[in-house]
Amino acid sequence: MTTKDDLLVFVDEPDTEIVDTQQSPWKIMVVDDEEQMHQATRFALTDFSFNDRPLEIISAYTAHEAQKLLTIEEDIACIFLDVVMESEDAGLKLVPIIRDEMNNSAVRIILRTGQPGYAPEVEVIQRYDINDYKAKSELTQTRLFTALTSALRSYQQICTIEAGRKGLEMIVESSSNLFAFRAIKQFATGVLTQICSLLEIKSEGVVCAHTNTLLHKSDMSILAAAGQYADFVGRPLMTMSNLHLREDIEHALAEKKSLFYEDRTVLYLSLPSRDEIAIHITTYSPLADLDRQLLEVFCVNIAIGFDNAQMFQQVESLAFHDQLTNLPNRVSFLRRIDDKLKNSDQKFMVIIADIDNFQAVNDGLGGDIGNAALKTIGRMLNSCCTNNEILARLGGDLFGLIVPYRSDSQIDQTLNNILQKFIEPVVIEQNHIPVSLSIGASVAYDNGDNSELLFRNAGIALKNTKQRNRGSYTRFNEEMTRDLRTRLDTIKELRTAIDNNELYLLFQPQINLHNGNLEGVEALLRWRNAEGIENYPNDFIPAAEDSGMIVPIGLWVLEQACKQQVLWSQGSRGPIRMAVNVSMRQFKEPDFIESVITIVNKTGISPSCLELELTETIIMSDSRVLTAKLNQLRSAGIQIAIDDFGTGYSSLSYLQSLPIDRLKIDRAFIEHIDSRSEDASIAAMIVAMGHELKLNVLAEGVETDKHETVLKKLGCDQAQGFFYARPIAAEKIEEF
Ligand code: C2E
Ligand code: CA
Ligand code: CA
């Protein structure tokens, strides 16, 4: 780049002696009780100048008067001080007053005395930093010149050092102030303010970052701005209308050095991260050398500071941001709830959204597709948010939203809008992934006045959605806490249910669709508690699973079912298949297979008449251990059915690799099989796919003859449902 006319290339010049641009005179003071001495001194110094600055001579006739003048006149450089005035040592006594009381260590003092014999102690001269001691008779013009020149030079050095010390103190102070700022932008603003206060000028300038890492973009952007530029904070440098300023900054970044112009300064900083910072300051007049040196020291300091702030920001971003979606994380979600509660008493909603069956996406399609799906879903949710709404990823497939509360109906609309977004499947690399969200929501102040409580209550509402109607939303109400308590009571009661003989089994027939015969039954658990009240599986099985109680209960069910099957097979009618449900929790038990085989041996059931129903979720998890376990069951002769099939995402090729016997089409697809063509085609697909893999296909929840007709047409092998029979007691099966 070419150098502009007004560019003073100070940068590479060796340090020059300080140039005071104001050319103000040196102030010196003559303190003497003899008018003659005043006149003689003035006369002798008429043509005196030092560093192109003339003298201004101030006269005092007593020590007392001198003291008064010293408090009024600032910057007196040198005092010619008569020792003997109103008293023998009036002049000498003034010295400690100047140094100690007035705290003026800079002013140079030349003592003069009329009596050659009188000299102060050397100790006094040193202690009070007296420059010179001369008998009046000794002071010829030349001597006066030499003495004053050396006094002024030394005064100037002291001032320079003093200013430097003050500047350094300010740098140390401002740096430590600045280090408290942990965010880059805040830090940059601090830097601008501090520089202007170091230079004692009004704040006007910009801090601009050229960055690869700082802001995740390679653009130059304004981190901080003051004065007439204040409005440009956060904007790209490109948008600044002031062309000169832009050029200055670009120039400094291109040259990689600070530039000092007559009326402005551009400081250049290079950070250890290889990011670069340019600071443009309007100085109005050229900077004095000392100021430039100070700025350079300051720049080293703030480069470290920027680096720190950047690190803090990164650490903070790690602590408060989700790296995958770049959304705030759970910690910052809770913080923001608290912030909102602190800053206003307006109601707002805390919404938690969970993706149904997301585990199946991860397991079935792989982690990469799962991650991509999460990102897309995050973006879709974000598009539901307006400016003052907050979206966060709370972990896994859980998202959180904070939205203002206006009215109940508006909230229903907001929640519906979110659900509506996901009507179409999300497409990731040609995979059409149906996404349904389950949502729970709580309202600030109505359902809690702290983040923990609001979060927990939204979570309870979410759990309710999950249990009752996935793919929809529930708003928290106090009844749910009661439900939660009931659930805890349920778990407590369940512990004694087996021993108290409160559990029993019902059996639901499974019909062969080709010949209409009873082919098998599914064992379904029932619980009538001590008070004779029936608890239904959909209520107590999740509680049993959560608490782990399902493990012993499941074994009890298996044993009862096997015993029942053996009883039936001893009767006149041939053996029928006994299907028993197995929860994830049971299947994961390390000794699950062993326990099953023990029960098979103990009850004497023919293993080929026992079928275990595993859900698709079990099938989709942890495939190596899974395949091993399934193979063990298979080699023991036990059959395996996949329950609720169609709700997960297991692929054809995956199923092919597993030793399974039957697919049970989920009730959800049968319910509208005669009226909804999508459902009919999913059922048709499952039947065709099952047959392709040489599997039996059973339809669950067959309730009408229309259902049966469609299924028969599709070639489905078996059916189960209220159309044939509800779950019934063992004796009723015999009648059936
Ligand atoms: P599931 O394994 O899908 O069992 C079928 C459920 O559908 C049964 O509900 C049954 O009564 C119901 N059902 C059967 N035909 C129809 C129909 O035509 N229409 C409708 N609407 N429903 C029908 P149930 O007995 O309430 O069991 C609910 C769930 O509890 C079962 O779903 C199963 O997941 C679980 N469960 C039941 N017994 C056991 C058990 O012994 N162990 C385990 N781990 N889970 C069990
Ligand atoms: Ca089942
Ligand atoms: Ca089922």
Side-chain angles (χ1 to χ4, degrees):
M1 254 181 113
T2 51
T3 318
K4 279 170 62 187
D5 296 343
D6 57 350
L7 172 63
L8 307 175
V9 194
F10 279 147
V11 195
D12 291 327
E13 271 178 18
D15 289 343
T16 52
E17 227 177 59
I18 190 156
V19 181
D20 194 326
T21 46
Q22 280 123 53
Q23 303 299 313
S24 58
W26 299 106
K27 285 186 193 168
I28 66 163
M29 186 187 266
V30 177
V31 189
D32 208 302
D33 52 354
E34 290 172 55
E35 173 58 25
Q36 193 193 338
M37 277 312 289
H38 287 273
Q39 282 171 8
T41 312
R42 274 174 198 277
F43 180 74
L45 296 176
T46 310
D47 296 326
F48 182 90
S49 79
F50 174 68
N51 274 352
D52 295 332
R53 289 168 62 182
L55 293 184
E56 179 193 331
I57 298 172
I58 300 159
S59 292
Y61 294 88
T62 62
H64 184 69
E65 190 188 355
Q67 188 183 340
K68 254 173 52 190
L69 280 171
L70 273 165
T71 57
I72 301 164
E73 292 284 344
E74 282 176 24
D75 315 327
I76 292 181
C78 184
I79 305 177
F80 289 102
L81 184 59
D82 189 12
V83 174
V84 186
M85 286 178 291
E86 56 262 54
S87 68
E88 275 287 291
D89 55 356
L92 212 54
K93 276 189 179 147
L94 182 61
V95 180
I97 294 174
I98 294 172
R99 295 291 188 230
D100 296 340
E101 282 176 31
M102 304 177 83
N103 228 340
N104 185 343
S105 56
V107 67
R108 298 297 84 206
I109 299 173
I110 297 171
L111 284 180
R112 295 198 291 191
T113 173
Q115 293 112 308
Y118 186 91
E121 301 291 327
V122 175
E123 188 256 330
V124 173
I125 292 184
Q126 282 173 347
R127 179 157 158 230
Y128 292 115
D129 189 18
I130 293 168
N131 266 59
D132 222 337
Y133 174 79
K134 291 277 184 304
K136 290 180 183 174
S137 55
E138 280 181 275
L139 280 176
T140 60
Q141 190 188 32
T142 324
R143 285 236 173 117
L144 202 56
F145 266 53
T146 335
L148 185 56
T149 302
S150 92
L152 287 180
R153 178 169 291 125
S154 122
Y155 173 76
Q156 187 178 45
Q157 281 165 353
I158 288 169
C159 289
T160 308
I161 292 166
E162 185 72 0
R165 195 180 54 76
K166 272 197 191 134
L168 285 169
E169 257 170 21
M170 280 173 81
I171 287 173
V172 170
E173 195 182 314
S174 52
S175 308
S176 59
N177 284 342
L178 283 172
F179 285 1
F181 293 129
R182 298 191 167 181
I184 290 281
K185 287 187 181 170
Q186 229 187 340
F187 185 82
T189 312
V191 164
L192 200 56
T193 322
Q194 294 291 4
I195 288 179
C196 294
S197 87
L198 281 179
L199 298 176
E200 292 175 328
I201 53 175
K202 90 171 205 260
S203 239
E204 184 153 281
V206 301
V207 178
C208 173
H210 178 247
T211 165
N212 302 312
T213 57
L214 214 52
L215 301 164
H216 305 286
K217 50 183 145 150
S218 60
D219 203 5
M220 286 186 262
S221 66
I222 312 286
L223 293 179
Q228 56 164 314
Y229 309 117
D231 288 346
F232 288 93
V233 177
R235 312 233 305 246
L237 180 64
M238 289 292 294
T239 61
M240 291 207 71
S241 45
N242 188 323
L243 262 183
H244 290 304
L245 184 138
R246 263 168 65 184
E247 273 174 22
D248 285 351
I249 288 177
E250 281 161 10
H251 193 169
L253 289 169
E255 303 266 308
K256 299 199 179 299
K257 65 186 185 191
S258 300
L259 305 171
F260 298 88
Y261 300 90
E262 269 176 350
D263 58 346
R264 60 200 194 279
T265 291
V266 194
L267 297 171
Y268 170 82
L269 311 179
S270 144
L271 308 189
S273 61
R274 291 203 311 281
D275 291 322
E276 296 167 300
I277 305 268
I279 305 169
H280 190 286
I281 301 146
T282 314
T283 56
Y284 300 102
S285 55
L287 289 186
D289 265 19
L290 182 72
D291 286 336
R292 272 176 39 210
Q293 287 159 15
L294 283 176
L295 278 185
E296 262 149 36
V297 177
F298 187 65
C299 282
V300 175
N301 259 292
I302 56 179
I304 299 167
F306 266 113
D307 205 48
N308 278 345
Q310 197 177 350
M311 235 165 57
F312 272 122
Q313 196 158 304
Q314 275 161 4
V315 168
E316 188 161 90
S317 144
L318 280 177
F320 297 109
H321 267 83
D322 170 52
Q323 299 301 299
L324 177 70
T325 56
N326 217 10
L327 292 169
N329 64 9
R330 184 196 178 104
V331 179
S332 74
F333 186 69
L334 291 176
R335 272 196 176 192
R336 296 201 193 184
I337 294 176
D338 279 328
D339 286 349
K340 266 191 160 316
L341 290 167
K342 222 184 292 157
N343 295 332
S344 105
D345 44 16
Q346 295 235 305
K347 284 190 190 182
F348 59 89
M349 296 279 283
V350 173
I351 297 170
I352 307 181
D354 181 273
I355 308 168
D356 297 324
N357 271 324
F358 191 73
Q359 188 56 36
V361 177
N362 257 341
D363 292 340
L365 301 172
D368 288 348
I369 302 234
N371 283 347
L374 283 175
K375 280 194 201 171
T376 308
I377 292 165
R379 270 197 300 276
M380 288 166 74
L381 284 171
N382 217 354
S383 71
C384 304
C385 292
T386 56
N387 274 345
N388 51 354
E389 301 179 352
I390 294 159
L391 172 68
R393 182 177 171 221
L394 306 175
D397 57 347
L398 206 59
F399 290 87
L401 286 128
I402 304 172
V403 302
Y405 173 96
R406 279 176 223 105
S407 65
D408 280 2
S409 60
Q410 167 263 330
I411 279 306
D412 286 338
Q413 200 186 334
T414 307
L415 295 173
N416 270 323
N417 280 348
I418 295 174
L419 294 173
Q420 290 294 312
K421 279 258 165 191
F422 295 94
I423 280 189
E424 298 285 318
V426 170
V427 183
I428 308 285
E429 293 177 23
Q430 280 122 45
N431 296 289
H432 291 247
I433 303 171
V435 173
S436 95
L437 293 182
S438 290
I439 295 178
S442 61
V443 179
Y445 302 110
D446 290 353
N447 307 140
D449 55 4
N450 65 69
S451 58
E452 292 294 336
L453 195 56
L454 284 168
F455 189 70
R456 205 191 70 195
N457 287 342
I460 291 175
L462 170 63
K463 194 141 194 184
N464 251 265
T465 312
K466 285 269 180 202
Q467 276 163 9
R468 287 171 214 276
N469 26 43
R470 283 171 172 244
S472 66
Y473 67 85
T474 315
R475 287 169 54 186
F476 176 82
N477 60 51
E478 291 305 328
E479 217 168 282
M480 291 175 186
T481 340
R482 278 197 291 277
D483 288 354
L484 196 74
R485 243 171 262 137
T486 316
R487 198 176 162 88
L488 293 174
D489 291 343
T490 304
I491 292 170
K492 221 165 85 195
E493 287 176 39
L494 205 51
R495 291 191 200 286
T496 52
I498 299 182
D499 292 342
N500 293 349
N501 287 321
E502 291 169 16
L503 301 178
Y504 64 98
L505 296 182
L506 292 183
F507 302 91
Q508 189 176 34
Q510 296 179 334
I511 306 299
N512 183 316
L513 280 179
H514 306 299
N515 58 25
N517 289 341
L518 173 73
E519 200 177 290
V521 294
E522 175 178 1
L524 291 160
L525 180 60
R526 294 294 180 266
W527 174 22
R528 190 185 294 121
N529 72 9
E531 286 103 59
I533 298 166
E534 282 290 347
N535 292 297
Y536 286 92
N538 283 335
D539 295 328
F540 73 82
I541 294 224
E545 284 172 338
D546 281 358
S547 62
M549 288 295 290
I550 195 67
V551 176
I553 291 175
L555 291 179
W556 180 87
V557 170
L558 183 65
E559 184 166 342
Q560 300 307 307
C562 289
K563 277 184 184 160
Q564 187 57 58
Q565 197 280 342
V566 172
L567 274 180
W568 282 330
S569 59
Q570 284 161 354
S572 53
R573 216 187 157 277
I576 58 167
R577 193 177 55 237
M578 176 63 71
V580 178
N581 290 290
V582 174
S583 297
M584 173 79 109
R585 191 70 188 255
Q586 291 173 268
F587 192 80
K588 273 193 174 161
E589 285 291 297
D591 58 355
F592 174 70
I593 307 291
E594 233 171 76
S595 323
V596 172
I597 291 173
T598 309
I599 289 173
V600 168
N601 294 337
K602 186 172 150 191
T603 56
I605 188 175
S606 153
S608 63
C609 289
L610 177 61
E611 181 166 273
L612 298 184
E613 294 194 359
L614 309 181
T615 58
E616 211 177 355
T617 344
I618 300 183
I619 295 294
M620 296 309 297
S621 64
D622 201 1
S623 77
R624 256 181 314 136
V625 182
L626 172 85
T627 316
K629 282 191 170 176
L630 292 181
N631 278 325
Q632 275 175 284
L633 290 172
R634 179 45 91 73
S635 49
I638 297 164
Q639 300 202 22
I640 292 151
I642 299 185
D643 207 354
D644 307 336
F645 189 78
T647 51
Y649 305 97
S650 29
S651 69
L652 194 66
S653 60
Y654 180 64
L655 284 181
Q656 207 159 14
S657 70
L658 296 175
I660 49 179
D661 303 279
R662 198 182 320 281
L663 299 180
K664 294 185 78 177
I665 307 177
D666 193 77
R667 188 152 51 89
F669 303 108
I670 308 302
E671 204 179 342
H672 304 290
I673 197 171
D674 53 339
S675 54
R676 254 192 232 156
S677 63
E678 314 92 87
D679 288 0
S681 59
I682 290 173
M685 218 179 63
I686 295 174
V687 173
M689 185 180 98
H691 287 167
E692 185 70 31
L693 296 175
K694 312 252 174 330
L695 301 175
N696 267 285
V697 182
L698 181 150
E700 281 190 298
V702 178
E703 290 183 347
T704 63
D705 58 341
K706 283 188 186 136
H707 290 163
E708 185 187 65
T709 312
V710 179
L711 288 162
K712 274 185 171 166
K713 230 186 266 168
L714 295 178
C716 187
D717 305 291
Q718 293 98 18
Q720 175 185 344
F722 294 172
F723 179 58
Y724 310 100
R726 293 192 171 246
I728 45 179
E731 316 85 71
K732 293 247 174 81
I733 290 288
E734 283 150 37
E735 288 169 25
F736 192 88

